[in-house]
Amino acid sequence: MSKSICIFTRMLKKIALVILFCMASHEGWSQFHYRLNTTGVRVFDGNFEIENPFWGGFNSPQFQPFDLNGDKSMDVIVFDRYDSKILPFVRLNKSDIFQYAPEYTARLPKGLYYFKTADLNADGEMDIFTLSESSNLLIYINRTTPGSSNLKFQDLGPWYYRNQYDSTQPIQYNPLSFSKFDMPEISDIDGDGDLDILSYDQGNYTYRLFKDVRIEKGWNRDTFEFQIMDICFGYFNEGFDNSIALGECPYKDKLKPRHTGGASCFMYDSDADGDKELVISNIGFPRFTYLENGKAQYKSYYDTMVGVDTIFPRNTVAANQMTFPAGYYLDISGDGVQDLVIAPNNFSDVKETQQIWYYKNKGQFNKPVFDLVKTNFLSEKTLDLGARSAPVFVDVDGDGDQDLLVASNGDYSVTTGLADPLYFFKNTGTKTSPKYELVDKDYLKFSQYKFRHAIPNVGDVDGDGDLDLLVGTLKGKVAYFSNTAGAGKPVAWSFVDSNYLGKNPNFDESNASPCLYDHNKDGKMDLLVGYYNGRVSLFECTSLNPLTYVEKTKNAWGARGNEWRSDVTPNEWKAFGYASPRIYDINGDGKMEMIVGTAYGYSRLYNIDGHPYSDSLFADTTWFYEKKFADSALPTMGSRIIPAFAELTGDTLMEAVFGLGRGGLQWASSLNAVKPVIGTRQFESLDLVLFPNPSKSMVTVQRAESTPGNLSLNIYNLQRDLVYKTHLQSNEKGVGIPIETWSSGVYWVKITNDEGKTANLKLVKLP
């Protein structure tokens, strides 16, 4: 083997080692130790104390039974279709009281569009059914040891069904896929002991039955095959106007398979005759349709619907006040009899408060009598402002503590998403023990400005020493409210301009999220704006009178709200990210951090202090934890994360609140008791890699675990001129450096640590 090949092989091994190290959650890199806290601080709405204010809210929740802790009592998994957030709730003492248990989230499989539980292999344990991004059915078999809370699943992957052609035709298997808007029924529909799947056929306005033939074939319980058995289940047809035509089917041969809006359905036996009635709803309509099954009554070979009722449920308050409802038949009360929960089924633009209706079943499992108990099941215990909550801390009343403002759409069924209100939570606690009271649900009469997707932030825009108000909007513009009160006084905001940047955003620069930060230390507040496209733009303030800004970059510090797609070739960022940047010194060490909220349920931390905005920084992925059985980094909170920080307890460490797309808030606090001691670890060696090298546009300097501490990086040309300067803080793994505008040739990267030890790397810039 040649010498050059040996060197190249060693380099590849070193790069692989560093990459593997960076993928691990290594606490030693991070100065920050934040964890989600479901209690946080006390929050009041009038005289009513909200029991668990920081669960995060609900939009289009789905409810499924599942034994989470192995006590043989069915708990509840809530899956919100809006953002695919899983919220596990453990039943306490076999009662109707549920406790949020986020530690189970990481042990449940991820899902999209819907999340259903049913016992596929008849082993007494609930399995999980959900969809892939391409809407193919995914099945996860529950392999948890009985009595254990250590949940384990076997991923069966995408599932296929068999077409029932006659013997002259070849057997064909098709993906078992469903519209992402639908809610299928997964249960033993025909009573033979195995599961069936009933789903809506959008092309023909009928329902299709996929039957597991395990029992008929005599297979063992872990062998199953879904076959399409009925393409016009119930022998009825739906009209465009949500009407029902009984005894009609668009197919000449009802049972002949056929390759071919949205609907939800669920089934139960309402009259104890052994067959199951069908309850359906359709997108765009605010009611259910109940269909009586006459199979047993008329001794029909097929399930045949013989009666229609558009008022459901009967003899109580009908569920007809939310568009596109879905129903869930499970035991809520803890008495062993299935109850009914109803909630919206759309992804967005739904009724977002008072939208979880709980009907107790005062009858039997197969002959229910429903009675409406409440319209805010679970949501009564938490803070839920509708959708797209966006918080900011500010001392509104000038009393020296931090109040909380939260923008939200309020509830789409009320505001239609056209006039976001601003909620004012006054801090009535002490300097070390904050307490928040909701005192105004439309502060500043904010809804009059008719902002959509409003994201507020504060800072001294005009240099007069007090805090002005900025509001990012759906159209990508930033509105400006000037504070005329003066420093330390109750704010007096007055509207100035709905587009004070004077910018006409590009098509992908919607959903502006502004943040003021003096990046060049010239005494004028510059402006960072995150956008739908996941990038963060930097606008430099060049004049206070008149206010003038110049856009310096659309990629400040390389920060991103997007996720990286490794499932496509070539790999690329997802098209959207909803970046929401905030600048704070969150741990009191005198250095500023940038925390960027994202579309994907987490926020990223970038150590921007001392870095030129042209640097492409690595995000710190170990700063933030969610309570799990084994702590892991970056909890997924849902979607559309808007961070806000403030020091509230007098310990110099900032608390955090995160606004969520589901309309609620989540709270986090630092696990550090005091300011962190930084840079005390002894250096062993300077082990770094530079890649790709040679390069035309961007290079990355990345260190190994054996090189801790602060590092300075100076890059020189062959004439020994300094052409670029940056650094790595003790908790930064690497940095990307743009070299596209440099002259081609050879450069030297000199790295120096706090002890004066140096390392030199050769960099080749290609033309």
Side-chain angles (χ1 to χ4, degrees):
M1 184 181 293
S2 70
K3 181 178 180 181
S4 61
I5 294 177
C6 289
I7 293 173
F8 180 71
T9 302
R10 286 198 299 269
M11 182 178 293
L12 284 179
K13 288 181 178 179
K14 181 179 289 187
I15 292 173
L17 177 64
V18 173
I19 291 174
L20 285 172
F21 173 76
C22 291
M23 290 173 65
S25 295
H26 194 281
E27 191 171 309
W29 285 108
S30 186
Q31 307 167 12
F32 317 99
H33 301 90
Y34 277 79
R35 176 184 276 175
L36 282 179
N37 186 341
T38 56
T39 54
V41 298
R42 299 176 71 188
V43 178
F44 291 79
D45 184 352
N47 294 323
F48 173 71
E49 181 171 6
I50 300 173
E51 184 177 337
N52 296 285
F54 302 109
W55 283 353
F58 304 93
N59 272 14
S60 299
Q62 303 170 10
F63 296 81
Q64 296 294 309
F66 194 92
D67 183 5
L68 292 164
N69 54 7
D71 66 353
K72 299 302 179 183
S73 175
M74 279 298 173
D75 309 302
V76 173
I77 295 175
V78 180
F79 175 84
D80 205 304
R81 180 188 284 265
Y82 174 84
D83 58 6
S84 301
K85 173 63 179 173
I86 298 172
L87 298 98
F89 288 86
V90 171
R91 187 189 301 271
L92 300 182
N93 301 320
K94 298 185 178 180
S95 68
D96 61 353
I97 300 174
F98 294 90
Q99 176 179 297
Y100 181 43
E103 60 269 24
Y104 289 96
T105 304
R107 297 194 172 184
L108 290 165
K110 294 180 180 179
L112 288 174
Y113 312 134
Y114 66 76
F115 204 81
K116 304 273 287 186
T117 63
D119 185 4
L120 177 61
N121 57 353
D123 64 352
E125 303 292 341
M126 288 293 192
D127 307 303
I128 290 177
F129 300 77
T130 186
L131 292 186
S132 68
E133 284 196 51
S134 56
S135 296
N136 290 330
L137 181 70
L138 303 177
I139 301 177
Y140 295 88
I141 297 295
N142 189 347
R143 299 299 188 192
T144 306
T145 301
S148 172
S149 61
N150 185 14
L151 305 180
K152 295 181 180 180
F153 294 89
Q154 178 186 356
D155 181 3
L156 299 186
W159 204 251
Y160 289 76
Y161 74 89
R162 175 180 171 177
N163 272 305
Q164 294 298 294
Y165 285 111
D166 59 47
S167 59
T168 64
Q169 300 291 326
I171 296 174
Q172 293 186 353
Y173 288 89
N174 296 53
L176 197 51
S177 59
F178 308 103
S179 167
K180 64 182 181 181
F181 297 101
D182 293 347
M183 177 67 69
E185 168 71 4
I186 302 177
S187 66
D188 183 6
I189 295 174
D190 55 9
D192 67 350
D194 53 24
L195 292 184
D196 310 299
I197 300 176
L198 186 68
S199 71
Y200 183 59
D201 180 352
Q202 295 186 62
N204 296 285
Y205 306 102
T206 62
Y207 282 80
R208 298 179 296 171
L209 178 67
F210 300 89
K211 177 179 170 54
D212 184 6
V213 297
R214 173 172 60 88
I215 296 295
E216 287 79 2
K217 298 291 186 182
W219 295 335
N220 66 55
R221 68 185 187 186
D222 281 327
T223 303
F224 17 81
E225 178 181 283
F226 287 103
Q227 297 183 6
I228 187 165
M229 290 294 184
D230 196 339
I231 53 178
C232 193
F233 179 84
Y235 214 71
F236 71 95
N237 196 43
E238 288 192 89
F240 289 102
D241 58 354
N242 206 28
S243 62
I244 300 293
L246 298 177
E248 292 187 10
C249 182
Y251 305 110
K252 182 178 179 181
D253 185 349
K254 178 178 180 303
L255 293 178
K256 182 178 179 180
R258 173 189 176 108
H259 291 282
T260 57
S264 77
C265 67
F266 66 99
M267 302 186 74
Y268 67 95
D269 185 359
S270 72
D271 49 13
D273 64 355
D275 58 26
K276 288 188 174 184
E277 278 62 51
L278 177 63
V279 184
I280 63 176
S281 68
N282 289 302
I283 194 167
F285 293 90
R287 64 167 171 81
F288 287 102
T289 299
Y290 168 88
L291 297 166
E292 180 187 357
N293 195 341
K295 180 180 179 181
Q297 179 181 358
Y298 295 102
K299 296 181 172 52
S300 172
Y301 182 76
Y302 307 116
D303 290 274
T304 304
M305 301 306 161
V306 297
V308 179
D309 194 345
T310 58
I311 299 176
F312 177 85
R314 277 279 178 179
N315 306 315
T316 184
V317 179
N320 57 9
Q321 298 180 31
M322 64 183 80
T323 300
F324 196 17
Y328 308 94
Y329 201 46
L330 72 166
D331 181 12
I332 297 297
S333 63
D335 62 0
V337 178
Q338 274 74 357
D339 305 298
L340 177 64
V341 178
I342 289 172
N345 191 44
N346 215 347
F347 288 96
S348 61
D349 300 344
V350 299
K351 183 172 175 57
E352 293 156 346
T353 60
Q354 298 291 322
Q355 86 283 33
I356 307 176
W357 292 25
Y358 162 42
Y359 295 82
K360 183 173 179 6
N361 183 355
K362 295 185 175 181
Q364 305 169 16
F365 164 72
N366 61 354
K367 200 171 185 179
V369 177
F370 297 122
D371 182 40
L372 179 64
V373 177
K374 60 183 68 175
T375 62
N376 57 354
F377 174 60
L378 291 183
S379 64
E380 64 184 323
K381 297 184 177 183
T382 193
L383 180 65
D384 192 343
L385 302 177
R388 293 186 295 274
S389 293
V392 60
F393 286 105
V394 58
D395 185 4
V396 173
D397 49 13
D399 64 354
D401 57 26
Q402 295 292 304
D403 305 303
L404 180 64
L405 297 176
V406 184
S408 167
N409 79 339
D411 183 345
Y412 183 85
S413 67
V414 177
T415 67
T416 63
L418 300 177
D420 291 358
L422 187 64
Y423 294 81
F424 173 29
F425 293 84
K426 178 179 171 59
N427 187 348
T428 60
T430 67
K431 299 291 185 182
T432 59
S433 181
K435 180 176 72 172
Y436 287 96
E437 296 183 17
L438 178 57
V439 297
D440 195 336
K441 296 183 179 181
D442 194 15
Y443 180 64
L444 298 178
K445 294 183 173 55
F446 192 75
S447 61
Q448 69 179 305
Y449 301 106
K450 300 190 183 304
F451 295 134
R452 301 172 63 191
H453 298 207
I455 302 178
N457 208 352
V458 296
D460 187 4
V461 173
D462 50 15
D464 63 356
D466 55 23
L467 296 178
D468 306 299
L469 174 66
L470 300 180
V471 180
T473 67
L474 172 65
K475 292 184 178 181
K477 298 179 180 180
V478 179
Y480 170 38
F481 293 74
S482 177
N483 187 357
T484 59
K489 297 181 180 179
V491 299
W493 285 320
S494 58
F495 177 72
V496 176
D497 195 341
S498 62
N499 185 20
Y500 95 112
L501 277 176
K503 175 182 172 62
N504 291 316
N506 296 332
F507 73 94
D508 62 345
E509 293 178 325
S510 61
N511 297 94
S513 180
C515 175
L516 289 163
Y517 173 57
D518 184 8
H519 91 96
N520 55 5
K521 308 297 189 292
D522 66 352
K524 299 186 291 292
M525 296 301 287
D526 308 304
L527 183 64
L528 297 168
V529 184
Y531 291 109
Y532 164 86
N533 62 17
R535 295 177 179 268
V536 177
S537 292
L538 171 63
F539 299 87
E540 193 172 279
C541 182
T542 58
S543 171
L544 290 176
N545 190 17
L547 277 172
T548 307
Y549 291 87
V550 175
E551 187 172 29
K552 303 296 290 186
T553 180
K554 293 182 181 293
N555 192 32
W557 292 284
R560 285 278 193 166
N562 316 70
E563 278 193 337
W564 183 249
R565 293 196 63 183
S566 58
D567 60 334
V568 296
T569 304
N571 298 162
E572 61 184 6
W573 293 102
K574 287 188 175 180
F576 64 95
Y578 291 103
S580 187
R582 298 292 181 265
I583 306 289
Y584 303 98
D585 175 12
I586 67 172
N587 63 349
D589 66 352
K591 297 179 180 179
M592 304 303 282
E593 290 82 40
M594 179 165 66
I595 299 91
V596 178
T598 75
Y600 302 99
Y602 51 82
S603 56
R604 295 181 173 129
L605 185 146
Y606 297 87
N607 295 278
I608 66 170
D609 202 280
H611 282 286
Y613 62 77
S614 57
D615 274 359
S616 184
L617 303 183
F618 282 46
D620 186 340
T621 60
T622 63
W623 76 283
F624 188 17
Y625 294 80
E626 181 174 25
K627 182 181 178 182
K628 297 184 174 70
F629 289 103
D631 277 346
S632 61
L634 289 177
T636 55
M637 294 178 278
S639 71
R640 304 287 294 273
I641 305 303
I642 311 292
F645 285 75
E647 204 289 287
L648 301 173
T649 59
D651 62 358
T652 75
L653 301 170
M654 286 190 163
E655 283 68 44
V657 66
F658 298 89
L660 310 181
R662 295 192 312 280
L665 302 173
Q666 290 211 268
W667 193 273
S669 53
S670 176
L671 298 181
N672 292 334
V674 295
K675 291 183 181 180
V677 178
I678 302 170
T680 59
R681 187 173 168 186
Q682 294 296 315
F683 291 98
E684 299 169 8
S685 63
L686 296 186
D687 193 1
L688 302 104
V689 292
L690 179 71
F691 63 93
N693 191 19
S695 177
K696 290 183 178 181
S697 58
M698 177 74 72
V699 295
T700 298
V701 177
Q702 192 165 302
R703 61 165 141 196
E705 183 179 6
S706 60
T707 306
N710 301 308
L711 303 174
S712 64
L713 283 72
N714 293 338
I715 303 179
Y716 301 89
N717 60 22
L718 292 181
Q719 289 73 43
R720 300 186 179 181
D721 298 321
L722 180 66
V723 297
Y724 199 85
K725 183 177 182 179
T726 186
H727 70 278
L728 291 176
Q729 291 179 201
S730 59
N731 60 325
E732 291 183 282
K733 301 172 185 176
V735 60
I737 300 171
I739 65 172
E740 187 173 6
T741 61
W742 297 9
S743 300
S744 59
V746 176
Y747 296 81
W748 291 99
V749 183
K750 182 178 181 180
I751 299 103
T752 307
N753 68 12
D754 290 336
E755 295 181 343
K757 292 182 179 179
T758 63
N760 292 287
L761 300 174
K762 182 180 178 181
L763 166 63
V764 178
K765 167 62 170 67
L766 296 175

